[in-house]
Structure formats: C-alpha cells, structure tokens
Amino acid sequence: LTGSFQLIAVTNFDEPRPKVLADAGINEPPHSWTVIPPKFTLSRHVEVLLAINSTILVVDATEARDERLQEGPFKKMSVSPDGKYLALFTNDGRLWVVSTDFQKNLSEFATQSQLAPQQLVWCGTDSVILYWDKIVLMVGPFGDWIKYSYDEAIFMIPEVDGVRIISSEKCEFLQKVPAVTEDIFKIGSTAPGAMLYDALDHFEKKSPKADENIRSIRLELADAVEACIEAAGHEINHQYQRSLLKAASFGKCFLEIHNADSFVDMCKTLRVLNAVRFYEIGIPLTYTQYQRLTPEALVDRLISRHQYLLAIRICEYLKMRTDRILIHWACSKIKISNDDEDTLCRMVVEKLANKPGLSYSEIAMTAHKTGHSKLATMLLDYEPRAGDQVPLLMSMGQDELALVKAIESGDTDLVYHVILYLKRKNDPGDFFRIINNKPLACHLLESYCKQQDPELLKNFYYQDDRSGDNANLSLIESFQQKDLTERTKRLKTSLKLYQENKEHAFEAKAIEESLKLLQTQAQLEKDCNQPFTGLSLSSTVYKLITINQGSRATKVRNDFQMPDKRFWWIKLRALVEIRDWDGVATLAKSKKSPIGYEPFIEAYQEAGEQAFLQKDLETLKEIRDKCPNALLQGQIDGYITQLASSR
C-alpha cells in the first residue's frame, strides 16, 4: 500500500514483477487490511481486504468491490491459514468470524474491551487468539475461551496448525490437541487406538487383559495401528513417541496382512524432526508443519543456518541428493576463508571429488565475485558441463579459454556462441588472433561468414594470408552480380589475387578468358540487340549461329581458339535447331569432318522423328531430300507414307 493508497502486488520474489491492483478509491488510510493469497481465491489472483468506514472493500487486479457491511469499523482482521475464514475485531470490542466470501456468519464473541488488540491471529483453523499487553485470549468456535497471562511482551507467529509465541526468554507453541491424540489419551476412551495402547500396557505387565483388548478391536486393529503411528508423529516427547510406535508395532503382530510403509516412514520422519528440534539446532517443527514444508525446504533452512553436517546426514538418510549442500558449503568457505587460492581449490575439490556430475559453476562464480579469479578458473576445470563452464569463463574475461573449452566439448552451437561473442567484443585483429590456431573455430567461422558476413571472411582470409581463398570468394561474388561493370570489377580483383601465387596459374588464365568473354558478350549485345552476358563460350557461339550470325560465331571461335571438334558439334546442333538443312549440307561438304559423319545422320534422324511427331509433312520431305544416307531416306519415306495415310 503506497503513500497515495495504491495497492501493488508482487507474487514472485524470484522474478519480481510489480502489478498494480484496481484503484480502491480511498483518500485516507484504512482502519486495517489483510491479504488473501491467490491459491485461496476463486479468481486465482491475490485479493486485498481493506477496512474502510463501517464496511470492507475487496480489491483485486480488475475491480474494487464493496461488501456493504454495517458492523464496522474493523480495527483488526486476519485470514485463516486455509483462506476460508476471516476474523474481525469491531470498534465496540466484538470478535466477529465470517467466511471470506462474507456469505456465512460463523460466530461472535464480546471481548469486553474497547481497546483493539495488538495482534489478532488464527490458531490453526479452529480458534482465534487476541493479544493485549500481557494478556492472551484464545476464543473457540462456540464461544469458549481461555486466557493466558504473560509477565513480558510477546510476539505471536501463526502457523498452519497453531501459534508460535515468542518472548525474550523462550519460544512456546500453542495448538489444539490433534484428534487422534485426544482419542488415544482421553480418560475412558474406547477408541481403537486407545484400546491398542492400553493392550500394550497390559502386555508389558503380563496381564491377560491385553488379549481381551486385542480381541475387542479385532476388526478395527488396522485403524488402531495407523492411529498410533499418526499420534506418534504429533508427539514432541521422545518417551511418548517410542511408546506409541511400540504400540503400533505390537498391533501389527496380530494382522495377517499389513503394509508397514507408513510405520517406516513415520520412524524416519521422527528421527529427522527430533534432530532439528535439538536445542543446538533450534527448529521446533511439528509433524503437520514438516508435511507442509517438505524435506527439501527443511534442508534449505539448515543450509541457510550453515548446519551442513546435519543437512547432509538428513539427505543421505532420506536418499536425497546433497549437491546443493556441498555447493553452498563451498561458496561460504570461499567467502570467509583467508587461505591462498591453491589451498582453497584443493580443499573444495577434495570435498566434492566423490560427487560425480556436481556442478562447479556456481562455486566458480562466487570465487570470481569475491575477487578470486584464479581460483574461479581452476575450479571451472572440474566443471563437467561445458554449457555451464563456457558462459562463466566468458563473463570472467577468459575468452580464449572459453573458446578452447567449447571446442573440446564438441558442441558446435556452443562454439558458435563463443565465436559470435568474441566477434562483438573484439576488434577484427584480436578476434582473428584468438581463433587463428584453432581449426574447428576457423571452419565454423568460414561457414558462418559465407552465409552471413562475406566482408568479415575477406578480412579473415587477408589476415591469414590466404590469397587463393580470398580470390575464390571474390569469384563467387562476381557470379552473383547482375551489373556487368560490378561483375568485371570483382573478376579483376580475383585475377589480381590469383596472380599473387604461381600455384594458381590455371585459375588466373581462366579468369583472363572470362574477362575477355565478358567484353566480347558486351559488344555482341550492342551489335545484335540480344542478351549474351552470363552465357558460356559454347552457348555464345551456339546462340550466334541460331540468330544467323555465323561469321561472328566463327570470329568468336577463332578469338578463343575453340577446338574444331567442339565448334562443329555446336554448329551442327544450332543448324538443326533452326532447320537450316542447306547449312548442314554445306558444313558436311566443306572439308573432312573432324567429328565424323555419324552425328549428321543422327541429326537428320532426330529431326525426322521430331517432324513426324509434330505431323510436319513438308519438313519430312525436306529432310529426305537433304539426307545423304539411303537407309535413313527409306525410314523417312515410311514416316511420310504413314503420315499421309493418317490424313
């Protein structure tokens, strides 16, 4: 509740995210207020009860609702541990108990005091306790009450099953006697548990009445055993714990079938509770509180009190992992120890050596924060998980070591993480120096840069004096350029880099020819008004022939010293493509064919088959007349006859 009477809720302290609740519309402090936890509300959101004037406002995240009560103003209010009931102290000295939805009026009690109590708390869910100066008043559900007097100031802490009363000298616990304990120890009780407990007493006295008691509860003996076990859990006194467990064990002997798990679990629980209740530890937990708290939370409390030995023994006894205890011990040892870093490291490692899989990252982080950077680095050598080890090394400034550990882990994602971190953190020179002698890092950097950052890859190749790889990169970039000028520029860059190394003489020669071809294609585009850029030499010649530029094709062939065989093949295919049979015949008769005459026959045959499929009779006749092969002429005649008859 802020100074401007605005309510702000924080539901998680691990990840605090303040959330402003609905405006209550008040301009003065409430008489009293309390909170209902989200797990007890219908909306599953926190609700705040504000005592304003004679009524109560219920405020949550969306609205402020007036319950329109007339019994106020309420000077004190308290919600029961189960969230079902609300205790209110009115201005005229009445204790009023209602349900938290204000639909049920459960009880009223006149305290005969106009003065508001210093504290109003619940004792479990059965009674309400009010505290004035040196007076404690317990009020039951039916108007019954008990008064306790104290000579000194006290403070009451509500628990799930009672109230803890703390004074300057002692800590007392006030609770309702558990029902199972009442059934067993109540005078004249005939409950099964009481009969079993009494039977044990007679048995120890060697009285035959023990058998009578067992026979009388024969059908309820299992329930009697469980009752004694549960009652033992609620007892603080060791003598009563032993006698009740002994009674349960005695009753088990008369049962043919009984699951002893509850008995074993209770023995373990009592051993743990008795250990933490010991005055040197000072955690007086009840059985109900232990069940609600869980063993894990109890161990955490012992850790926070630096009771490491007891915490480890409890974990080993209950078969729980001890990792967090050892880690907390190591962190505390580092914080308070005055030993040198080598001694500390040896001490910590010796203690944790028999715990395989235990993480050293938290311990190393503690060492780093306390100024023991060398110790942190040494401890991280024992960290089994690279995913925890590497980020911590990076935060400590051990960048190169982090990269080495990432590479050793074999996790490429982790290596990439370190590489990209180093790239952002360092200038290119320092970055390349760190990864230069690490082959895996270099390969991964190349793979990344080829996809994401070609300029960085160029700088890397230049720094590593890899002119050939740099030339290859420029060559690849040239093929990706649409603009002729830009492509030529990149090719010239590649040529210059290739020429720096005699081992790349072939590549340099090929680039020179590519530049020459680009210049030729640019000129052809101007002269022929056709696109040529990007075509290979063979494709350029082929296209020139198909657009009836045979002389230019011959000139290109001579300029680039194209072999006769390749030129004849290209020209033959181009002439067949444009159905220039006279040109095919002229080519065949021009001189001795360097490719033989079978390609000409195959070209005629292929052209004839295509013409037949296209039902082009005139083309078939033209091919027959031009074909020099008599056998092929006969086949084409068959095509002509078949096509003519089908028409």
Side-chain angles (χ1 to χ4, degrees), residues 19-166:
K19 183 177 181 181
V20 178
L21 301 186
D23 185 11
I26 60 177
N27 52 18
E28 60 181 3
H31 299 293
S32 61
W33 62 290
T34 190
V35 177
I36 304 179
K39 61 182 178 180
F40 298 133
T41 63
L42 293 176
S43 62
R44 294 303 176 190
H45 294 289
V46 65
E47 291 184 357
V48 181
L49 307 181
L50 300 173
I52 303 296
N53 298 325
S54 63
T55 186
I56 289 180
L57 297 180
V58 180
V59 183
D60 58 16
T62 58
E63 63 174 350
R65 185 177 68 255
D66 188 352
E67 293 297 335
R68 302 186 182 282
L69 304 178
Q70 303 297 326
E71 288 78 2
F74 304 104
K75 296 182 178 180
K76 291 285 183 179
M77 64 173 71
S78 178
V79 177
S80 64
D82 59 3
K84 294 181 179 180
Y85 310 118
L86 177 65
L88 303 162
F89 189 84
T90 64
N91 196 38
D92 56 2
R94 287 182 299 117
L95 175 65
W96 186 34
V97 179
V98 297
S99 60
T100 49
D101 59 2
F102 298 95
Q103 299 300 312
K104 294 180 181 179
N105 184 353
L106 300 176
S107 69
E108 288 188 26
F109 180 81
T111 64
Q112 309 299 325
S113 173
Q114 298 285 332
L115 180 65
Q118 296 177 20
Q119 278 189 273
L120 172 64
V121 298
W122 281 84
C123 180
T125 57
D126 302 291
S127 61
V128 180
I129 297 182
L130 302 92
Y131 168 62
W132 290 272
D133 187 25
K134 299 181 180 181
I135 296 176
V136 171
L137 179 66
M138 173 185 279
V139 181
F142 303 107
D144 298 326
W145 58 273
I146 303 175
K147 186 173 73 171
Y148 301 93
S149 299
Y150 286 85
D151 295 331
E152 56 185 345
I154 63 169
F155 186 80
M156 299 187 297
I157 301 175
E159 299 283 357
V160 65
D161 57 341
V163 171
R164 199 175 304 281
I165 302 175
I166 300 175

Side-chain angles (χ1 to χ4, degrees), residues 116 231 576:
V576 171

Side-chain angles (χ1 to χ4, degrees), residues 79-82 121-129 138 157-165 172-179 181 230 233-236 273 277 284-293 301:
V79 177
S80 64
D82 59 3
V121 298
W122 281 84
C123 180
T125 57
D126 302 291
S127 61
V128 180
I129 297 182
M138 173 185 279
I157 301 175
E159 299 283 357
V160 65
D161 57 341
V163 171
R164 199 175 304 281
I165 302 175
E172 297 176 311
F173 187 68
L174 184 61
Q175 70 169 155
K176 179 185 176 184
V177 177
T181 303
E230 184 181 351
H234 291 295
E235 287 297 331
I236 302 295
L273 288 174
R277 288 169 182 167
L285 278 181
T286 64
Y287 175 63
T288 304
Q289 293 169 15
Y290 176 74
Q291 286 183 308
R292 179 73 66 90
L293 187 65
R301 287 192 181 183

Side-chain angles (χ1 to χ4, degrees), residues 477-491:
E477 289 180 348
S478 70
F479 293 135
Q480 297 171 346
Q481 302 299 321
K482 301 296 183 181
D483 183 65
L484 181 61
T485 304
E486 192 63 30
R487 179 180 292 188
T488 303
K489 178 182 176 182
R490 299 296 174 93
L491 284 173

Side-chain angles (χ1 to χ4, degrees), residues 226 229 252 258-269:
E226 294 299 328
I229 293 173
K252 286 194 305 175
H258 181 72
N259 188 345
D261 289 350
S262 60
F263 183 84
V264 174
D265 291 342
M266 183 58 73
C267 290
K268 289 182 178 180
T269 299

Side-chain angles (χ1 to χ4, degrees), residues 479 491 509-519 560:
F479 293 135
L491 284 173
K509 180 67 176 175
I511 296 296
E512 288 179 350
E513 291 185 354
S514 295
L515 285 169
K516 182 179 177 182
L517 179 61
L518 274 178
Q519 294 172 357
F560 289 90

Side-chain angles (χ1 to χ4, degrees), residues 247-311:
S249 179
F250 176 68
K252 286 194 305 175
C253 299
F254 298 95
L255 293 172
E256 295 181 0
I257 300 175
H258 181 72
N259 188 345
D261 289 350
S262 60
F263 183 84
V264 174
D265 291 342
M266 183 58 73
C267 290
K268 289 182 178 180
T269 299
L270 286 175
R271 188 171 182 183
V272 171
L273 288 174
N274 290 335
V276 299
R277 288 169 182 167
F278 190 59
Y279 73 94
E280 291 183 355
I281 306 301
I283 304 179
L285 278 181
T286 64
Y287 175 63
T288 304
Q289 293 169 15
Y290 176 74
Q291 286 183 308
R292 179 73 66 90
L293 187 65
T294 72
E296 291 78 8
L298 176 59
V299 169
D300 288 338
R301 287 192 181 183
L302 291 171
I303 292 173
S304 65
R305 296 186 178 202
H306 302 285
Q307 297 289 345
Y308 302 114
L309 180 59
L310 180 58

